[in-house]
Amino acid sequence: MDKKERLKKLVSVLNEASKAYYQKDTEIMSNLEYDKLYDELQGLEQETGIVLANSPTIHVGYEVLSELEKQAHPAPMLSLDKTKETAALVSWLGIHEGVLSWKLDGLTVVLTYENGELHNAVTRGNGEVGEVITNNVKTFVNVPKVIPYKKSLVIRGEAVIRYSDFNRMNDEILEVGDKYKNPRNLCSGSVRQLNNEITAKRNVHFYAFALVEDILEEEQIKEYGFDNTITGRFAWLKEQGFDVVEHFLVNADNLEKQVMDFAARIPDNDVPSDGLVLSYNDIAYGRSLGRTAKFPRDSIAFKWADELAETTLTEVEWSPSRTGLINPVAIFEPVELEGTTVTRASLHNVSILRALALGLGDRITVYKANMIIPQVAENLTRSDDLKIPENCPACGESTVLQDINGVQSLYCMNAECSAKQIKGFSHFVSRNAMNIDGLSDATLEKFIAHGFLKKLPDIFHLERYRDEIIQLEGFGEKSYDNLITSIESARKVSMAKFIYSLGISGIGLANAKVIVEYFGQDFDKITEASEEELTAVEGIGEVLAKAFYDFFHTQERMLVVQELLAEIIFEKEEVTGEQILKGKTFVITGSLEKFANRNELKEYIEKAGGKVTGSVSRNTDYLINNDVMSGSSKNKKANELGIPILSEEDFIRLSNAE
């Protein structure tokens, strides 16, 4: 493994260790091993002059912006002319040497480096004006923050989210309607976030594909050892620490074979693409050809000719989601496309379904968009007699067809629809609520679908379905026994956690604790409190008071609460220790070292009489951040308001926690 690859490997391993330690409360390596690898990384960064943006040796502060700044490009960014014919590519290339590369399907980004450091990053935008995303790019997985080259450098590349990451994120979303549509849309939304902490979680990669500014002075050619070719520039960019788009040298003799090789690799290619790009390797020759009104003449795009298959539509499945959106999915007789068997394709919404004039038994053609995502291309029969469901397939209540910006979609408006209840069930059993292990979203979905769960109290009677549960995929005697044990343990719960578990709009665990303490842990007083009485509780304003009051004065909800009260016993929370932080409000940000996680620190503060909120305001007494000198938005706000910023050590001294 060469030094640059070793550097990337060390960044990945050390970041994974930090994530496990700070976020998951586990250790995957000893402190000694971590320090050893960290020192090796620092040495390699000094030796190579390459520092990746996500290296643990530097800190990227998360920042929330109100809007993205706009910036004009020095020269318009043009699109490429296109063809779907391999023969046209061969003719275009002629006797010249070319470079064939993936046409990546993401978001084009322009990076500017000054004095060896990342100075600016801008999206393609409309080709003339883009959006400044510098802070977001610093969270990309593989963008160097520091490079060896110390003069001005501008490069173009593609920001992408790999299929493996895209599928992982979608696998965590149960409802079809909530899933991300494709990696490109997810990448575009991720790159253009106002909060770059969200960008960081999306695992965005960057692949360079062009130098924008000429750096080819004679002395530099000698210094860096590359000629005025695309392959030479790619090699040089690699030396600077960039990942470049995968590419191959081609000529008229091997071009067709290389296109076929690319096509054969699409099913296993982890980086989204929507075709290929062919460019003249000789940059001077390519530029000498000039441009048309729309396209440069030095490159051409190759789009895959979609493989169509004819089949018969057998069913349209309507899939309800927790948002109420009911998505149509085409089910058809199996066909082979791009080497796989395909039987279904999303129709996305009612407008698309109607435009296709679908009816059961129609002959349709289907294809894979970008050779990956199944789509219905055309309806050859167009019987147009498919009925839109008048009732939700999950709960049976009436559906509503809504037109939003010219797009018609079907919705279930029943707030109690079982398809919408997964979120409520999931919140009820979560760690900070009833803390019931064994009821993941996937398990809850199965139990609801089988009729085991219709309302929250049913959780305490799952033993009725023992025989059915142990037969479910992924379940057995042991899983069932563990689940029942966890449910029985949950019957003893603090009043605050129970109130929080009910999912009252805006009421977090901290709010619930303050309310319970204010009313002396008397549940009847709490549920009968007026809005005026509730607003007297510290931190409970009119909006929260109304939401709380309305919840406990809704007959249907109170019936559920009464049923739940018959299943549980409240454990009194004794106030332990001196209330040394009483009346003090804290905000926590950044990673922690002394406390296992933010919840543990928050719980400590609340037990000592303090309060924890999510944002810095004039009501904040202290901001806790181990990186006291960070330029994060919360640090800036605290400094503006004169609010002390405490490290954990400072906080421990303040609270006498040692």
Side-chain angles (χ1 to χ4, degrees):
M1 185 181 295
D2 65 23
K3 291 177 181 178
K4 293 190 294 299
E5 289 302 314
R6 177 60 178 167
L7 184 147
K8 292 177 183 178
K9 179 67 174 176
L10 287 171
V11 168
S12 175
V13 169
L14 290 170
N15 282 342
E16 190 61 32
S18 295
K19 182 178 179 181
Y21 183 77
Y22 290 117
Q23 297 181 22
K24 299 180 181 178
D25 197 23
T26 59
E27 292 188 18
I28 60 175
M29 67 174 63
S30 67
N31 289 338
L32 183 65
E33 179 67 10
Y34 183 93
D35 291 341
K36 178 183 175 183
L37 296 179
Y38 187 93
D39 291 342
E40 181 185 354
L41 174 61
Q42 275 192 319
L44 282 174
E45 289 177 341
Q46 292 171 2
E47 184 178 347
T48 62
I50 299 169
V51 182
L52 295 180
N54 64 333
S55 171
T57 65
I58 61 175
H59 175 76
V60 178
Y62 293 135
E63 183 176 357
V64 179
L65 304 174
S66 59
E67 62 179 10
L68 293 173
E69 178 188 347
K70 306 297 187 296
Q71 181 175 307
H73 296 295
M77 297 178 64
L78 303 176
S79 299
L80 297 180
D81 199 1
K82 301 175 181 65
T83 182
K84 289 189 175 183
E85 303 295 330
T86 307
L89 286 184
V90 175
S91 175
W92 182 89
L93 186 59
I95 63 172
H96 301 281
E97 185 179 58
V99 177
L100 190 65
S101 63
W102 291 112
K103 184 175 182 295
L104 300 183
D105 193 19
L107 188 71
T108 299
V109 175
V110 183
L111 304 183
T112 300
Y113 286 79
E114 299 288 353
N115 196 31
E117 292 195 9
L118 178 61
H119 173 72
N120 191 33
V122 184
T123 66
R124 183 185 187 280
N126 63 7
E128 297 185 356
V129 177
E131 294 172 310
V132 179
I133 54 168
T134 311
N135 203 45
N136 293 349
V137 167
K138 290 178 181 178
T139 71
F140 286 10
V141 172
N142 61 338
V143 168
K145 183 184 179 187
V146 179
I147 61 174
Y149 183 70
K150 300 305 178 187
K151 296 183 180 180
S152 179
L153 175 69
V154 181
I155 66 171
R156 289 177 184 166
E158 197 82 355
V160 299
I161 290 179
R162 295 178 176 181
Y163 280 116
S164 53
D165 292 313
F166 173 77
N167 292 332
R168 172 182 53 79
M169 285 184 270
N170 259 354
D171 286 344
E172 295 170 357
I173 303 171
L174 291 176
E175 292 74 18
V176 174
D178 294 344
K179 291 180 182 290
Y180 301 114
K181 301 304 180 188
N182 56 62
R184 188 193 185 285
N185 288 356
L186 176 59
C187 182
S188 177
S190 301
V191 169
R192 300 171 60 252
Q193 286 287 332
L194 296 178
N195 182 349
N196 72 341
E197 186 170 7
I198 297 173
T199 308
K201 294 175 181 177
R202 301 287 172 80
N203 225 26
V204 181
H205 286 72
F206 176 85
Y207 294 93
F209 58 67
L211 282 172
V212 178
E213 292 188 352
D214 276 327
I215 60 170
L216 295 177
E217 298 173 7
E218 188 173 344
E219 64 271 17
Q220 292 168 331
I221 294 175
K222 293 178 181 178
E223 180 182 355
Y224 295 110
F226 70 90
D227 52 21
N228 197 20
T229 62
I230 290 177
T231 51
R233 292 190 175 193
F234 277 160
W236 184 79
L237 284 170
K238 285 184 179 180
E239 292 298 321
Q240 301 305 305
F242 295 98
D243 288 334
V244 300
V245 62
E246 186 180 11
H247 60 280
F248 295 92
L249 268 175
V250 293
N251 54 42
D253 294 329
N254 68 359
L255 176 55
E256 188 171 355
K257 179 182 181 301
Q258 192 60 63
V259 170
M260 293 173 62
D261 288 345
F262 270 112
R265 292 170 51 210
I266 286 177
D268 300 318
N269 188 34
D270 200 26
V271 181
S273 68
D274 58 354
L276 303 172
V277 174
L278 178 62
S279 305
Y280 294 113
N281 193 32
D282 187 328
I283 292 172
Y285 172 74
R287 289 187 175 174
S288 73
L289 301 175
R291 47 168 286 190
T292 69
K294 295 182 178 180
F295 311 116
R297 290 193 173 99
D298 60 354
S299 301
I300 187 171
F302 175 78
K303 304 289 286 185
W304 305 111
D306 298 316
E307 178 185 343
L308 291 172
E310 188 175 325
T311 183
T312 300
L313 182 71
T314 58
E315 181 184 353
V316 170
E317 178 184 282
W318 295 88
S319 178
S321 71
R322 73 176 59 171
T323 63
L325 179 64
I326 305 175
N327 297 276
V329 179
I331 312 296
F332 42 81
E333 292 179 353
V335 290
E336 291 293 317
L337 284 175
E338 314 294 352
T340 62
T341 301
V342 180
T343 60
R344 56 195 291 132
S346 174
L347 294 168
H348 303 296
N349 54 59
V350 174
S351 290
I352 290 176
L353 181 146
R354 284 180 166 166
L356 288 166
L358 290 172
L360 299 186
D362 282 358
R363 294 295 290 173
I364 61 174
T365 57
V366 295
Y367 70 104
K368 281 188 175 180
N370 295 334
M371 301 176 74
I372 296 291
I373 304 170
Q375 302 282 336
V376 175
E378 186 180 3
N379 181 6
L380 304 176
T381 310
R382 299 187 68 81
S383 58
D384 198 17
D385 59 1
L386 192 72
K387 292 184 178 180
I388 308 300
E390 296 180 356
N391 301 97
C392 172
C395 68
E397 293 295 317
S398 298
T399 57
V400 175
L401 194 61
Q402 293 187 348
D403 189 312
I404 302 175
N405 297 323
V407 176
Q408 289 187 327
S409 298
L410 192 66
Y411 287 87
C412 172
M413 308 304 290
N414 176 20
E416 304 304 319
C417 175
S418 57
K420 299 180 182 180
Q421 298 309 303
I422 294 174
K423 185 175 181 180
F425 277 101
S426 180
H427 177 78
F428 182 79
V429 303
S430 63
R431 181 178 178 183
N432 287 332
M434 299 300 288
N435 192 24
I436 300 176
D437 290 329
L439 286 177
S440 66
D441 282 4
T443 300
L444 288 168
E445 184 179 37
K446 287 180 183 178
F447 285 7
I448 290 172
H450 283 79
F452 305 159
L453 297 175
K454 292 184 174 65
K455 51 188 178 179
L456 293 176
D458 294 341
I459 289 175
F460 295 98
H461 299 285
L462 283 173
E463 73 281 354
R464 300 169 181 169
Y465 305 101
R466 176 189 175 281
D467 293 342
E468 293 95 327
I469 290 173
I470 62 176
Q471 296 300 320
L472 292 176
E473 183 180 353
F475 258 84
E477 293 275 2
K478 186 174 181 181
S479 297
Y480 170 81
D481 290 342
N482 289 340
L483 172 59
I484 296 302
T485 299
S486 182
I487 290 171
E488 291 305 310
S489 297
R491 290 182 183 275
K492 292 183 178 180
V493 64
S494 72
M495 193 177 295
K497 286 191 173 184
F498 175 73
I499 290 173
Y500 171 65
S501 76
L502 298 175
I504 305 169
S505 178
I507 301 297
L509 183 56
N511 300 128
K513 287 181 176 179
V514 172
I515 291 171
V516 168
E517 182 182 349
Y518 182 86
F519 289 101
Q521 302 193 50
D522 187 322
F523 194 74
D524 288 337
K525 285 185 179 179
I526 291 171
T527 58
E528 294 168 4
S530 66
E531 291 183 46
E532 185 178 358
E533 288 174 314
L534 288 165
T535 55
V537 180
E538 183 183 0
I540 305 298
E542 292 182 2
V543 174
L544 290 183
K546 178 172 174 43
F548 196 89
Y549 177 87
D550 288 347
F551 183 92
F552 287 111
H553 287 77
T554 302
Q555 184 178 2
E556 294 81 1
R557 288 170 174 166
M558 277 306 294
L559 287 174
V560 173
V561 170
Q562 292 300 330
E563 287 185 55
L564 287 171
L565 291 175
E567 305 292 344
I568 64 170
I569 298 173
F570 286 136
E571 289 185 319
K572 286 222 169 188
E573 285 190 295
E574 300 297 332
V575 178
T576 57
E578 185 181 355
Q579 298 285 283
I580 194 168
L581 302 180
K582 188 171 180 63
K584 301 297 182 183
T585 299
F586 296 81
V587 173
I588 307 168
T589 190
S591 59
L592 300 175
E593 298 172 0
K594 303 295 183 182
F595 292 85
N597 49 50
R598 292 187 189 181
N599 278 340
E600 184 177 280
L601 175 53
K602 180 180 177 182
E603 189 172 341
Y604 175 83
I605 291 171
E606 289 174 347
K607 284 184 177 179
K611 177 183 174 184
V612 177
T613 61
S615 58
V616 177
S617 70
R618 297 187 184 278
N619 296 322
T620 305
D621 292 291
Y622 299 100
L623 171 64
I624 300 175
N625 186 356
N626 278 323
D627 191 351
V628 176
M629 304 305 295
S630 163
S632 71
S633 59
K634 287 182 179 176
N635 275 31
K636 289 178 182 177
K637 187 71 171 178
N639 286 325
E640 288 173 6
L641 298 174
I643 294 167
I645 303 175
L646 308 178
S647 67
E648 277 180 279
E649 296 284 357
D650 297 329
F651 170 75
I652 289 170
R653 284 192 288 270
L654 173 74
S655 61
N656 294 321
E658 292 182 301

